[in-house]
Amino acid sequence: MLQLGLFIIGCLSSSHALEGADVVLSCSFVEEGGGMMGGAGGGALFSRTPATLVLRDLPVVSDEDASLDSVTPFNPPESPNADDLIFEVKGSSVELPDAEVILHADCNEQEVTCEISHYIPRGADPHAPPTHFIASLQVEGGGVSMSLVMQVLTSADTGPEAPPLMQSKLQIPLSQSGTLLTEAVFVVFSRARSLTVPVGGDAQLDCGFRRQQATPPEGVPGLEWRLQHRGSGRRILDMKTNEEEVEAGPQVTVGREGASVDPVLALEEGNVTLSLPRLRVADEGTYICTVTSGVFQTQQIVQLNIIQPPKVSLSEERTVYLNEPAQKLSCHCKSYYPLDVKVEWLSIISLEEEPEEIKEGMSLSSHRQHADGTFSVSSHLTFPLARYAPGTTVTCRVTHQALPDTADVSSRVLEPEGTGVDFYSVVITVLVVTVGTAIFYQVMGAN
């Protein structure tokens, strides 16, 4: 995990916006992780080189006493080195969403992962010198995730003087300070990379984009939401604009009933959040939000987890202490998801004692799957009453990840009403009288 480096003194908060905060991130340059779909990669097929990403002039929020004096700007190396990979993103018309989350990540003890790779716009020559790069940033612990497309600035953009150095790996002219000057031209982001929703609930899968202003203005971007789960995939929603019928609005194709994206929000706010109502188990998986704007295309991934806590019940609320050798209790766990569930039996005689686990006489039914994808299972306990004195509590304890705590249902071993010492005395008396009467008649018969 790469550590975040921030050239900011202290942790700023409250309500007054300042300009000019620079963020410096330690990154990896991934040489074979590029292309239109992003730069995240790993494993033996990818080579990584240490790199630095400098985000210039991000807005920072401070209190009334704070000033720009409390923010330290990025200082380039005194002696530029052609081997250094320093990507400097100058302030541009493309807003970086939730910039404050990145600014304050270090103060909030959050880490930021950063990978940079070569990016090939659609229709560009893949063998031409690189003109674009993509940075994949993720703030750990529930922060923003973004894919940032950066365009290399030419000498005309950087000034009349020729760059003193060529970057040794990329063979791109560097600025006078030894950085590779770029500007942000397109970004796709998500503020929630993972969410957990119960069966039957509604989900909002967050995804958005920012792009440079075009003249004339561009219409609704191309959008695809796709679900991948357990090796298979399917299209959930597709939105595109026919160039010949721009005024008619975007064409939306839905592959899952009820799925929707608001085209107005997509055009005006860059919000392409996917709404999914009435969730089923089949909706669980990895959702890929792919946004296309002009020659640029990139994506974000949102993980949707489905949970449903089990409904736990016992077959008997109380077990009557009779002369039967054993009795049976059944603990039913119904309509839960995911599959993993733990059922155990405990017994306790009094509150002063610790419960003991019952390890004998148990059996578990096979898991049953319902039409909505949830599962049910039953655990049975057959126990000899002679081992459990009246007043003993027998508990079925169920553990499942959808439960905030264990679910306990209990049954108590009781004597029949009107029993106790007198009851047993009566029973003994009846037995004695019966046996005595039998012996009497046997003797009389013999005489």
Side-chain angles (χ1 to χ4, degrees):
M1 194 70 67
L2 298 172
Q3 294 290 336
L4 168 68
L6 292 181
F7 287 89
I8 297 179
I9 300 174
C11 298
L12 303 179
S13 61
S14 192
S15 59
H16 291 262
L18 300 176
E19 298 290 339
D22 297 341
V23 176
V24 181
L25 300 173
S26 298
C27 305
S28 290
F29 181 72
V30 185
E31 292 199 66
E32 297 185 13
M36 292 189 300
M37 302 311 295
L45 297 179
F46 298 90
S47 61
R48 297 170 177 270
T49 304
T52 301
L53 178 65
V54 182
L55 303 176
R56 286 284 202 176
D57 300 330
L58 290 184
V60 61
V61 174
S62 140
D63 59 26
E64 295 181 356
D65 298 328
S67 66
L68 287 174
D69 295 336
S70 64
V71 180
T72 303
F74 166 69
N75 293 317
E78 295 182 0
S79 300
N81 188 332
D83 294 332
D84 289 342
L85 274 173
I86 305 175
F87 293 84
E88 181 179 351
V89 182
K90 298 177 68 67
S92 64
S93 60
V94 175
E95 171 199 358
L96 295 188
D98 285 9
E100 287 214 355
V101 175
I102 301 176
L103 282 167
H104 298 304
D106 195 35
C107 298
N108 295 331
E109 297 184 352
Q110 293 177 298
E111 294 181 342
V112 177
T113 59
C114 172
E115 292 184 344
I116 302 174
S117 58
H118 181 201
Y119 181 93
I120 304 174
R122 297 195 305 168
D125 182 2
H127 303 293
T131 58
H132 293 80
F133 295 87
I134 186 167
S136 298
L137 307 179
Q138 290 188 356
V139 179
E140 298 302 316
V144 67
S145 171
M146 69 177 71
S147 297
L148 173 65
V149 178
M150 304 174 292
Q151 178 175 295
V152 177
L153 294 175
T154 63
S155 57
D157 299 317
T158 59
E161 297 183 9
L165 291 174
M166 296 286 288
Q167 210 288 322
S168 58
K169 179 181 289 293
L170 304 176
Q171 291 301 300
I172 297 177
L174 298 177
S175 67
Q176 295 288 341
S177 57
T179 64
L180 183 61
L181 285 178
T182 67
E183 64 174 345
V185 293
F186 187 58
V187 58
V188 176
F189 62 92
S190 176
R191 296 183 177 94
R193 303 193 307 274
S194 176
L195 69 160
T196 302
V197 185
V199 173
D202 301 335
Q204 300 288 322
L205 305 186
D206 184 81
C207 186
F209 70 95
R210 299 289 186 268
R211 59 187 175 186
Q212 283 185 321
Q213 298 296 326
T215 305
E218 297 183 49
V220 175
L223 171 69
E224 182 189 63
W225 275 99
R226 189 171 184 83
L227 169 62
Q228 293 289 136
H229 189 53
R230 296 179 179 176
S232 62
R234 59 190 176 100
R235 183 178 298 174
I236 301 299
L237 183 142
D238 181 85
M239 184 171 68
K240 58 185 177 181
T241 302
N242 190 327
E243 294 182 359
E244 298 177 356
E245 302 178 1
V246 176
E247 296 182 356
Q251 300 176 351
V252 179
T253 304
V254 177
R256 191 272 195 194
E257 183 182 359
S260 64
V261 170
D262 190 330
V264 176
L265 291 180
L267 178 61
E268 297 181 356
E269 302 179 13
N271 183 346
V272 289
T273 294
L274 177 68
S275 297
L276 293 176
R278 302 178 298 279
L279 290 175
R280 306 180 297 269
V281 170
D283 293 317
E284 183 177 63
T286 301
Y287 286 78
I288 304 170
C289 170
T290 303
V291 184
T292 304
S293 179
V295 298
F296 301 122
Q297 182 184 77
T298 189
Q299 62 186 204
Q300 281 295 303
I301 293 176
V302 181
Q303 181 67 37
L304 176 61
N305 302 307
I306 303 296
I307 63 168
Q308 187 66 28
K311 302 174 184 177
V312 184
S313 63
L314 270 182
S315 59
E316 299 287 345
E317 293 184 1
R318 66 178 188 172
T319 300
V320 179
Y321 199 87
L322 297 175
N323 292 330
E324 300 177 6
Q327 288 197 9
K328 183 178 180 180
L329 283 176
S330 296
C331 183
H332 305 296
C333 307
K334 297 180 179 179
S335 302
Y336 60 86
Y337 189 86
L339 180 62
D340 296 335
V341 66
K342 179 181 178 182
V343 183
E344 54 186 338
W345 291 90
L346 307 170
S347 68
I348 185 171
I349 298 178
S350 65
L351 297 178
E352 289 75 20
E353 298 183 9
E354 291 293 327
E356 294 184 3
E357 183 178 357
I358 302 174
K359 299 182 179 180
E360 297 179 355
M362 295 176 298
S363 63
L364 193 69
S365 71
S366 59
H367 289 276
R368 303 176 297 278
Q369 189 169 21
H370 305 290
D372 63 358
T374 61
F375 297 93
S376 292
V377 72
S378 295
S379 177
H380 308 289
L381 173 66
T382 302
F383 61 98
L385 288 171
R387 294 186 184 179
Y388 300 95
T392 301
T393 298
V394 178
T395 299
C396 171
R397 175 166 292 175
V398 178
T399 304
H400 188 265
Q401 70 180 65
L403 294 169
D405 201 353
T406 59
D408 292 354
V409 288
S410 301
S411 180
R412 200 174 181 198
V413 178
L414 301 175
E415 297 176 355
E417 293 183 4
T419 64
V421 176
D422 293 339
F423 171 79
Y424 291 105
S425 298
V426 171
V427 172
I428 293 172
T429 302
V430 171
L431 289 175
V432 171
V433 171
T434 302
V435 173
T437 303
I439 294 174
F440 172 76
Y441 281 109
Q442 191 174 29
V443 171
M444 292 298 293
N447 293 333

PDB file of all heavy atoms in Angstrom, residues 105-130:
ATOM      1  N   ALA A 105      -6.732  13.104   3.588  1.00  0.00           N
ATOM      2  CA  ALA A 105      -6.579  11.664   3.804  1.00  0.00           C
ATOM      3  C   ALA A 105      -5.498  11.368   4.838  1.00  0.00           C
ATOM      4  O   ALA A 105      -5.675  10.522   5.712  1.00  0.00           O
ATOM      5  CB  ALA A 105      -6.260  10.967   2.489  1.00  0.00           C
ATOM      6  N   ASP A 106      -4.376  12.056   4.755  1.00  0.00           N
ATOM      7  CA  ASP A 106      -3.276  11.815   5.689  1.00  0.00           C
ATOM      8  C   ASP A 106      -3.701  12.153   7.110  1.00  0.00           C
ATOM      9  O   ASP A 106      -3.432  11.408   8.058  1.00  0.00           O
ATOM     10  CB  ASP A 106      -2.048  12.629   5.275  1.00  0.00           C
ATOM     11  CG  ASP A 106      -0.794  12.147   5.970  1.00  0.00           C
ATOM     12  OD1 ASP A 106      -0.683  10.926   6.186  1.00  0.00           O
ATOM     13  OD2 ASP A 106       0.061  12.984   6.304  1.00  0.00           O
ATOM     14  N   CYS A 107      -4.389  13.291   7.283  1.00  0.00           N
ATOM     15  CA  CYS A 107      -4.839  13.691   8.614  1.00  0.00           C
ATOM     16  C   CYS A 107      -5.886  12.732   9.162  1.00  0.00           C
ATOM     17  O   CYS A 107      -5.988  12.541  10.374  1.00  0.00           O
ATOM     18  CB  CYS A 107      -5.411  15.108   8.569  1.00  0.00           C
ATOM     19  SG  CYS A 107      -4.212  16.360   8.072  1.00  0.00           S
ATOM     20  N   ASN A 108      -6.681  12.124   8.268  1.00  0.00           N
ATOM     21  CA  ASN A 108      -7.704  11.182   8.687  1.00  0.00           C
ATOM     22  C   ASN A 108      -7.193   9.750   8.754  1.00  0.00           C
ATOM     23  O   ASN A 108      -7.988   8.805   8.863  1.00  0.00           O
ATOM     24  CB  ASN A 108      -8.897  11.255   7.727  1.00  0.00           C
ATOM     25  CG  ASN A 108      -9.597  12.598   7.779  1.00  0.00           C
ATOM     26  OD1 ASN A 108      -9.596  13.274   8.804  1.00  0.00           O
ATOM     27  ND2 ASN A 108     -10.193  13.009   6.670  1.00  0.00           N
ATOM     28  N   GLU A 109      -5.874   9.594   8.662  1.00  0.00           N
ATOM     29  CA  GLU A 109      -5.222   8.283   8.732  1.00  0.00           C
ATOM     30  C   GLU A 109      -5.763   7.339   7.662  1.00  0.00           C
ATOM     31  O   GLU A 109      -5.980   6.152   7.891  1.00  0.00           O
ATOM     32  CB  GLU A 109      -5.382   7.676  10.132  1.00  0.00           C
ATOM     33  CG  GLU A 109      -4.714   8.508  11.224  1.00  0.00           C
ATOM     34  CD  GLU A 109      -4.803   7.855  12.596  1.00  0.00           C
ATOM     35  OE1 GLU A 109      -5.510   6.833  12.715  1.00  0.00           O
ATOM     36  OE2 GLU A 109      -4.155   8.346  13.532  1.00  0.00           O
ATOM     37  N   GLN A 110      -5.985   7.876   6.478  1.00  0.00           N
ATOM     38  CA  GLN A 110      -6.393   7.072   5.331  1.00  0.00           C
ATOM     39  C   GLN A 110      -5.244   6.998   4.345  1.00  0.00           C
ATOM     40  O   GLN A 110      -4.473   7.947   4.185  1.00  0.00           O
ATOM     41  CB  GLN A 110      -7.618   7.695   4.639  1.00  0.00           C
ATOM     42  CG  GLN A 110      -8.887   7.668   5.476  1.00  0.00           C
ATOM     43  CD  GLN A 110     -10.028   8.369   4.763  1.00  0.00           C
ATOM     44  OE1 GLN A 110      -9.945   9.562   4.488  1.00  0.00           O
ATOM     45  NE2 GLN A 110     -11.083   7.633   4.460  1.00  0.00           N
ATOM     46  N   GLU A 111      -5.138   5.869   3.667  1.00  0.00           N
ATOM     47  CA  GLU A 111      -4.113   5.697   2.661  1.00  0.00           C
ATOM     48  C   GLU A 111      -4.711   5.884   1.268  1.00  0.00           C
ATOM     49  O   GLU A 111      -5.905   5.642   1.048  1.00  0.00           O
ATOM     50  CB  GLU A 111      -3.478   4.311   2.778  1.00  0.00           C
ATOM     51  CG  GLU A 111      -2.694   4.124   4.080  1.00  0.00           C
ATOM     52  CD  GLU A 111      -2.051   2.762   4.164  1.00  0.00           C
ATOM     53  OE1 GLU A 111      -2.496   1.864   3.407  1.00  0.00           O
ATOM     54  OE2 GLU A 111      -1.127   2.584   4.969  1.00  0.00           O
ATOM     55  N   VAL A 112      -3.874   6.312   0.362  1.00  0.00           N
ATOM     56  CA  VAL A 112      -4.291   6.515  -1.017  1.00  0.00           C
ATOM     57  C   VAL A 112      -3.423   5.645  -1.921  1.00  0.00           C
ATOM     58  O   VAL A 112      -2.198   5.726  -1.869  1.00  0.00           O
ATOM     59  CB  VAL A 112      -4.161   7.994  -1.429  1.00  0.00           C
ATOM     60  CG1 VAL A 112      -4.530   8.171  -2.907  1.00  0.00           C
ATOM     61  CG2 VAL A 112      -5.034   8.874  -0.562  1.00  0.00           C
ATOM     62  N   THR A 113      -4.053   4.785  -2.698  1.00  0.00           N
ATOM     63  CA  THR A 113      -3.312   4.022  -3.691  1.00  0.00           C
ATOM     64  C   THR A 113      -3.326   4.792  -5.001  1.00  0.00           C
ATOM     65  O   THR A 113      -4.317   5.428  -5.358  1.00  0.00           O
ATOM     66  CB  THR A 113      -3.921   2.629  -3.908  1.00  0.00           C
ATOM     67  OG1 THR A 113      -5.275   2.767  -4.326  1.00  0.00           O
ATOM     68  CG2 THR A 113      -3.885   1.823  -2.618  1.00  0.00           C
ATOM     69  N   CYS A 114      -2.234   4.731  -5.718  1.00  0.00           N
ATOM     70  CA  CYS A 114      -2.084   5.517  -6.941  1.00  0.00           C
ATOM     71  C   CYS A 114      -1.298   4.712  -7.963  1.00  0.00           C
ATOM     72  O   CYS A 114      -0.188   4.264  -7.683  1.00  0.00           O
ATOM     73  CB  CYS A 114      -1.378   6.842  -6.623  1.00  0.00           C
ATOM     74  SG  CYS A 114      -0.909   7.813  -8.078  1.00  0.00           S
ATOM     75  N   GLU A 115      -1.890   4.522  -9.133  1.00  0.00           N
ATOM     76  CA  GLU A 115      -1.216   3.884 -10.257  1.00  0.00           C
ATOM     77  C   GLU A 115      -1.395   4.744 -11.498  1.00  0.00           C
ATOM     78  O   GLU A 115      -2.473   5.279 -11.743  1.00  0.00           O
ATOM     79  CB  GLU A 115      -1.775   2.485 -10.508  1.00  0.00           C
ATOM     80  CG  GLU A 115      -1.449   1.492  -9.414  1.00  0.00           C
ATOM     81  CD  GLU A 115      -1.934   0.090  -9.725  1.00  0.00           C
ATOM     82  OE1 GLU A 115      -2.774  -0.047 -10.643  1.00  0.00           O
ATOM     83  OE2 GLU A 115      -1.481  -0.850  -9.056  1.00  0.00           O
ATOM     84  N   ILE A 116      -0.314   4.873 -12.273  1.00  0.00           N
ATOM     85  CA  ILE A 116      -0.326   5.672 -13.493  1.00  0.00           C
ATOM     86  C   ILE A 116       0.121   4.779 -14.644  1.00  0.00           C
ATOM     87  O   ILE A 116       1.037   3.960 -14.481  1.00  0.00           O
ATOM     88  CB  ILE A 116       0.606   6.895 -13.369  1.00  0.00           C
ATOM     89  CG1 ILE A 116       0.204   7.768 -12.175  1.00  0.00           C
ATOM     90  CG2 ILE A 116       0.594   7.719 -14.654  1.00  0.00           C
ATOM     91  CD1 ILE A 116       1.170   8.914 -11.910  1.00  0.00           C
ATOM     92  N   SER A 117      -0.522   4.939 -15.785  1.00  0.00           N
ATOM     93  CA  SER A 117      -0.127   4.165 -16.958  1.00  0.00           C
ATOM     94  C   SER A 117      -0.410   4.947 -18.228  1.00  0.00           C
ATOM     95  O   SER A 117      -1.114   5.958 -18.216  1.00  0.00           O
ATOM     96  CB  SER A 117      -0.841   2.808 -16.988  1.00  0.00           C
ATOM     97  OG  SER A 117      -2.233   2.997 -16.982  1.00  0.00           O
ATOM     98  N   HIS A 118       0.163   4.466 -19.311  1.00  0.00           N
ATOM     99  CA  HIS A 118      -0.041   5.063 -20.625  1.00  0.00           C
ATOM    100  C   HIS A 118      -1.509   4.862 -21.022  1.00  0.00           C
ATOM    101  O   HIS A 118      -2.080   3.791 -20.827  1.00  0.00           O
ATOM    102  CB  HIS A 118       0.903   4.387 -21.622  1.00  0.00           C
ATOM    103  CG  HIS A 118       0.812   4.931 -23.006  1.00  0.00           C
ATOM    104  ND1 HIS A 118       1.229   4.224 -24.117  1.00  0.00           N
ATOM    105  CD2 HIS A 118       0.347   6.123 -23.481  1.00  0.00           C
ATOM    106  CE1 HIS A 118       1.032   4.949 -25.198  1.00  0.00           C
ATOM    107  NE2 HIS A 118       0.498   6.106 -24.840  1.00  0.00           N
ATOM    108  N   TYR A 119      -2.128   5.883 -21.596  1.00  0.00           N
ATOM    109  CA  TYR A 119      -3.529   5.841 -22.005  1.00  0.00           C
ATOM    110  C   TYR A 119      -3.616   6.125 -23.495  1.00  0.00           C
ATOM    111  O   TYR A 119      -3.014   7.083 -23.998  1.00  0.00           O
ATOM    112  CB  TYR A 119      -4.331   6.883 -21.218  1.00  0.00           C
ATOM    113  CG  TYR A 119      -5.800   6.917 -21.537  1.00  0.00           C
ATOM    114  CD1 TYR A 119      -6.702   6.173 -20.800  1.00  0.00           C
ATOM    115  CD2 TYR A 119      -6.294   7.699 -22.575  1.00  0.00           C
ATOM    116  CE1 TYR A 119      -8.064   6.196 -21.078  1.00  0.00           C
ATOM    117  CE2 TYR A 119      -7.643   7.735 -22.873  1.00  0.00           C
ATOM    118  CZ  TYR A 119      -8.523   6.984 -22.125  1.00  0.00           C
ATOM    119  OH  TYR A 119      -9.864   7.013 -22.417  1.00  0.00           O
ATOM    120  N   ILE A 120      -4.359   5.302 -24.213  1.00  0.00           N
ATOM    121  CA  ILE A 120      -4.504   5.459 -25.658  1.00  0.00           C
ATOM    122  C   ILE A 120      -5.939   5.871 -25.966  1.00  0.00           C
ATOM    123  O   ILE A 120      -6.863   5.078 -25.810  1.00  0.00           O
ATOM    124  CB  ILE A 120      -4.176   4.149 -26.397  1.00  0.00           C
ATOM    125  CG1 ILE A 120      -2.764   3.677 -26.018  1.00  0.00           C
ATOM    126  CG2 ILE A 120      -4.286   4.343 -27.910  1.00  0.00           C
ATOM    127  CD1 ILE A 120      -2.408   2.319 -26.593  1.00  0.00           C
ATOM    128  N   PRO A 121      -6.174   7.118 -26.356  1.00  0.00           N
ATOM    129  CA  PRO A 121      -7.539   7.536 -26.730  1.00  0.00           C
ATOM    130  C   PRO A 121      -8.057   6.713 -27.905  1.00  0.00           C
ATOM    131  O   PRO A 121      -7.285   6.157 -28.698  1.00  0.00           O
ATOM    132  CB  PRO A 121      -7.364   9.014 -27.095  1.00  0.00           C
ATOM    133  CG  PRO A 121      -6.103   9.438 -26.410  1.00  0.00           C
ATOM    134  CD  PRO A 121      -5.219   8.224 -26.429  1.00  0.00           C
ATOM    135  N   ARG A 122      -9.367   6.657 -28.017  1.00  0.00           N
ATOM    136  CA  ARG A 122      -9.974   5.908 -29.103  1.00  0.00           C
ATOM    137  C   ARG A 122      -9.565   6.492 -30.450  1.00  0.00           C
ATOM    138  O   ARG A 122      -9.617   7.696 -30.669  1.00  0.00           O
ATOM    139  CB  ARG A 122     -11.497   5.922 -28.968  1.00  0.00           C
ATOM    140  CG  ARG A 122     -11.991   5.233 -27.709  1.00  0.00           C
ATOM    141  CD  ARG A 122     -13.478   4.956 -27.784  1.00  0.00           C
ATOM    142  NE  ARG A 122     -14.261   6.154 -28.065  1.00  0.00           N
ATOM    143  CZ  ARG A 122     -15.548   6.132 -28.408  1.00  0.00           C
ATOM    144  NH1 ARG A 122     -16.169   4.974 -28.538  1.00  0.00           N
ATOM    145  NH2 ARG A 122     -16.202   7.264 -28.620  1.00  0.00           N
ATOM    146  N   GLY A 123      -9.153   5.620 -31.353  1.00  0.00           N
ATOM    147  CA  GLY A 123      -8.748   6.040 -32.687  1.00  0.00           C
ATOM    148  C   GLY A 123      -7.309   6.491 -32.796  1.00  0.00           C
ATOM    149  O   GLY A 123      -6.842   6.773 -33.910  1.00  0.00           O
ATOM    150  N   ALA A 124      -6.584   6.582 -31.677  1.00  0.00           N
ATOM    151  CA  ALA A 124      -5.192   7.038 -31.712  1.00  0.00           C
ATOM    152  C   ALA A 124      -4.267   5.886 -32.107  1.00  0.00           C
ATOM    153  O   ALA A 124      -4.596   4.706 -31.933  1.00  0.00           O
ATOM    154  CB  ALA A 124      -4.786   7.604 -30.354  1.00  0.00           C
ATOM    155  N   ASP A 125      -3.111   6.238 -32.616  1.00  0.00           N
ATOM    156  CA  ASP A 125      -2.097   5.253 -33.005  1.00  0.00           C
ATOM    157  C   ASP A 125      -1.421   4.713 -31.747  1.00  0.00           C
ATOM    158  O   ASP A 125      -0.759   5.464 -31.028  1.00  0.00           O
ATOM    159  CB  ASP A 125      -1.067   5.907 -33.919  1.00  0.00           C
ATOM    160  CG  ASP A 125       0.003   4.923 -34.400  1.00  0.00           C
ATOM    161  OD1 ASP A 125      -0.097   3.724 -34.046  1.00  0.00           O
ATOM    162  OD2 ASP A 125       0.930   5.359 -35.103  1.00  0.00           O
ATOM    163  N   PRO A 126      -1.572   3.425 -31.428  1.00  0.00           N
ATOM    164  CA  PRO A 126      -0.964   2.897 -30.205  1.00  0.00           C
ATOM    165  C   PRO A 126       0.549   2.904 -30.218  1.00  0.00           C
ATOM    166  O   PRO A 126       1.192   2.770 -29.164  1.00  0.00           O
ATOM    167  CB  PRO A 126      -1.513   1.459 -30.146  1.00  0.00           C
ATOM    168  CG  PRO A 126      -1.865   1.126 -31.552  1.00  0.00           C
ATOM    169  CD  PRO A 126      -2.309   2.409 -32.189  1.00  0.00           C
ATOM    170  N   HIS A 127       1.161   3.074 -31.408  1.00  0.00           N
ATOM    171  CA  HIS A 127       2.619   3.067 -31.503  1.00  0.00           C
ATOM    172  C   HIS A 127       3.207   4.480 -31.511  1.00  0.00           C
ATOM    173  O   HIS A 127       4.430   4.635 -31.541  1.00  0.00           O
ATOM    174  CB  HIS A 127       3.049   2.330 -32.771  1.00  0.00           C
ATOM    175  CG  HIS A 127       2.529   0.916 -32.849  1.00  0.00           C
ATOM    176  ND1 HIS A 127       2.938  -0.086 -31.983  1.00  0.00           N
ATOM    177  CD2 HIS A 127       1.594   0.363 -33.680  1.00  0.00           C
ATOM    178  CE1 HIS A 127       2.303  -1.213 -32.280  1.00  0.00           C
ATOM    179  NE2 HIS A 127       1.489  -0.963 -33.303  1.00  0.00           N
ATOM    180  N   ALA A 128       2.352   5.489 -31.486  1.00  0.00           N
ATOM    181  CA  ALA A 128       2.839   6.870 -31.486  1.00  0.00           C
ATOM    182  C   ALA A 128       3.361   7.232 -30.100  1.00  0.00           C
ATOM    183  O   ALA A 128       3.041   6.572 -29.098  1.00  0.00           O
ATOM    184  CB  ALA A 128       1.704   7.809 -31.886  1.00  0.00           C
ATOM    185  N   PRO A 129       4.201   8.269 -29.999  1.00  0.00           N
ATOM    186  CA  PRO A 129       4.666   8.712 -28.676  1.00  0.00           C
ATOM    187  C   PRO A 129       3.481   9.029 -27.776  1.00  0.00           C
ATOM    188  O   PRO A 129       2.461   9.554 -28.248  1.00  0.00           O
ATOM    189  CB  PRO A 129       5.481   9.974 -28.995  1.00  0.00           C
ATOM    190  CG  PRO A 129       5.931   9.783 -30.410  1.00  0.00           C
ATOM    191  CD  PRO A 129       4.808   9.057 -31.092  1.00  0.00           C
ATOM    192  N   PRO A 130       3.573   8.690 -26.498  1.00  0.00           N
ATOM    193  CA  PRO A 130       2.421   8.885 -25.606  1.00  0.00           C
ATOM    194  C   PRO A 130       2.065  10.356 -25.443  1.00  0.00           C
ATOM    195  O   PRO A 130       2.926  11.213 -25.252  1.00  0.00           O
ATOM    196  CB  PRO A 130       2.901   8.284 -24.279  1.00  0.00           C
ATOM    197  CG  PRO A 130       4.395   8.303 -24.361  1.00  0.00           C
ATOM    198  CD  PRO A 130       4.733   8.121 -25.800  1.00  0.00           C
TER     199      PRO A 130
END
